[in-house]
Amino acid sequence: MSQTPAPPTPAPVPAPAPVTGPVSLRGRTIVVTGANTGIGAAIAKLAGATGMNVVIDYVAHPELNQPLIDEIVAAGGQAIAVQADVTRVEHLQSLVDAAVDAYGRLDVWVNNAGVETRLSLLEDTEEKYDFVMDINMKGAYFGAQVAAKRFIAQGSRGVIVNVSSVHEDWPMPGNTAYCVAKGGLRMFAKNVGVELADHGIRVVNVAPGAISTPINKETEADPGKIKQLNESIPAGRIGQPSEVASVVLFVASDEASYMTATTVTVDGGITQGAAGL
Ligand code: NAI
Ligand code: BGC
């Protein structure tokens, strides 16, 4: 009996490079925290290419700002970079003020800044716990507050997007404070989405899986670890920042007008497979 050859395994679906985001965002103003690297930079670039006015928040590496602004301007957008530490409420307010001074209004606020320490409960210290919680959770909490107050003051609808993580509700042993902070963001979007609905303000979390950014540079630099990670992802590969940015802009747009108080996962299926790295 002749054997039918096994069909060839298709290569993983490649990441497309989105050219622009939803047209309903054109002319609107967006603030993105932690935006001169990784996912934040991808959101800033796509927002600029979509015709939004972009405020790039950063805390470190100012040398990264001008090339990013140049890229946004070359794509037909406009952007400014403003230094602000998301753990300081007065700095968050200065981002709102900068957006209003430069562009007259604020429409979309993205809490993207985040850090992880990869420590278990038994390894953690008070200082490192505070570092993770202050940036990931407190920064998003008061970022949403200053944005919502501005939306209400200008009498407009607005959208708050939190870049959370699959670790909103998927344990990552050895990264406990980070998971606790992202878990907090899950409830934050639900609670605040309900609180702010009467003002026409939407709150949506975007929860990425493993994405190729500086946060994962050690995993990506280790051929064994990245192979194991890619094999644990049903899509067959780590994600690209642009693949998160396109979802962030979609949920921020009028096309997502009925989405609030919820989380959208963008993970190549990783949470449905074996544990990642
Ligand atoms: P990243 O390290 O490139 O981005 C984090 C950004 O936050 C950096 O630009 C950093 O300077 C900024 N930041 C840190 N402390 C800050 C502070 N006090 N004030 C203002 N900005 C501050 O890494 P990535 O991956 O782009 O991270 C962006 C977000 O995506 C984070 O919230 C992260 O938790 C989340 N995420 C990332 C995933 C990934 O696999 N790359 C997966 C799931 C979530
Ligand atoms: C973490 C990454 C990790 C990814 C998937 C993210 O929240 O920051 O380090 O690769 O989740 O587990």
Side-chain angles (χ1 to χ4, degrees):
M1 206 166 79
S2 68
Q3 293 240 313
T4 319
T9 310
V13 177
V19 180
T20 65
V23 289
S24 64
L25 293 173
R26 197 171 292 158
R28 295 186 187 169
T29 300
I30 184 171
V31 171
V32 186
T33 67
N36 70 358
T37 64
I39 293 169
I43 297 167
K45 283 185 217 175
L46 188 59
T50 303
M52 299 187 80
N53 310 313
V54 185
V55 178
I56 297 162
D57 160 58
Y58 71 99
V59 269
H61 297 293
E63 73 283 2
L64 299 175
N65 297 338
Q66 199 54 50
L68 183 55
I69 292 172
D70 290 347
E71 200 176 325
I72 288 170
V73 170
Q78 47 181 344
I80 56 170
V82 179
Q83 186 169 29
D85 177 344
V86 298
T87 68
R88 308 268 302 275
V89 180
E90 70 273 25
H91 286 210
L92 291 164
Q93 184 59 47
S94 75
L95 288 172
V96 174
D97 296 343
V100 174
D101 285 351
Y103 303 121
R105 57 185 292 110
L106 176 66
D107 301 289
V108 179
W109 180 279
V110 182
N111 286 310
N112 168 76
V115 289
E116 61 181 14
T117 47
R118 298 213 173 196
L119 296 171
S120 70
L121 174 68
L122 296 179
E123 294 161 335
D124 222 338
T125 64
E126 183 178 0
E127 188 189 1
K128 287 176 177 162
Y129 169 89
D130 285 344
F131 172 67
V132 170
M133 295 302 289
D134 282 355
I135 295 170
N136 293 280
M137 186 65 246
K138 179 186 172 190
Y141 191 100
F142 287 101
Q145 186 190 65
V146 295
K149 285 185 174 176
R150 175 64 204 175
F151 296 150
I152 293 166
Q154 69 189 20
S156 72
R157 295 168 187 280
V159 186
I160 296 160
V161 184
N162 303 307
V163 179
S164 59
S165 169
V166 287
H167 298 299
E168 267 192 12
D169 67 354
W170 190 43
M172 187 175 185
N175 205 9
T176 300
Y178 181 78
C179 293
V180 170
K182 296 298 188 179
L185 283 181
R186 182 175 186 81
M187 181 51 75
F188 184 58
K190 294 186 190 199
N191 222 67
V192 180
V194 173
E195 283 180 0
L196 297 176
D198 281 350
H199 296 282
I201 298 169
R202 297 190 295 108
V203 184
V204 182
N205 284 9
V206 172
I211 308 297
S212 176
T213 73
I215 224 171
N216 277 319
K217 63 180 186 298
E218 279 167 30
T219 300
E220 291 195 85
D222 181 325
K225 280 190 180 170
I226 188 64
K227 181 170 183 290
Q228 193 185 336
L229 176 61
N230 284 335
E231 285 173 358
S232 75
I233 301 172
R237 60 172 175 81
I238 194 166
Q240 292 303 314
S242 62
E243 294 177 290
V244 180
S246 54
V247 178
V248 168
L249 287 200
F250 170 72
V251 305
S253 75
D254 291 352
E255 282 77 354
S257 54
Y258 205 52
M259 288 181 80
T260 197
T262 194
T263 293
V264 183
T265 299
V266 187
D267 73 347
I270 191 173
T271 46
Q272 310 307 314
L277 286 169

